[in-house]
Amino acid sequence: MTDEQLMRLKVYGNNVQRYRRLLRGNLTEQEREFVERRLTEEQLAIQSLRTNGLVHGTSKVM
């Protein structure tokens, strides 16, 4: 995994923590839906980056 990919993982992870913290607070239904949607997007970005990073890392070794 490149330095840029690792940096992105950290940013996405920080965002996930922030959204989870927000969900523990008092939000309107509309705010909650927005935060839940953003949380899902960030988690998918992490999953995609990890998958692509592992694939690229593996292909470099071969």
Side-chain angles (χ1 to χ4, degrees):
M1 212 176 268
T2 67
D3 287 342
E4 181 181 345
Q5 289 170 320
L6 291 172
M7 183 176 60
R8 286 178 187 244
L9 272 179
K10 183 175 182 173
V11 170
Y12 294 145
N14 289 342
N15 290 343
V16 166
Q17 289 176 346
R18 182 179 326 110
Y19 293 137
R20 286 180 178 160
R21 190 171 50 249
L22 285 170
L23 288 172
R24 289 192 299 265
N26 294 328
L27 300 173
T28 66
E29 188 60 33
Q30 187 176 13
E31 291 169 331
R32 183 167 300 281
E33 288 174 4
F34 174 81
V35 172
E36 287 173 345
R37 186 171 52 250
R38 291 295 301 140
L39 176 60
T40 300
E41 290 170 359
E42 295 291 328
Q43 290 171 327
L44 289 172
I46 289 171
Q47 184 179 22
S48 175
L49 190 56
R50 283 185 175 160
T51 300
N52 291 335
L54 291 175
V55 170
H56 293 302
T58 303
S59 65
K60 288 179 183 178
V61 172
M62 294 179 142

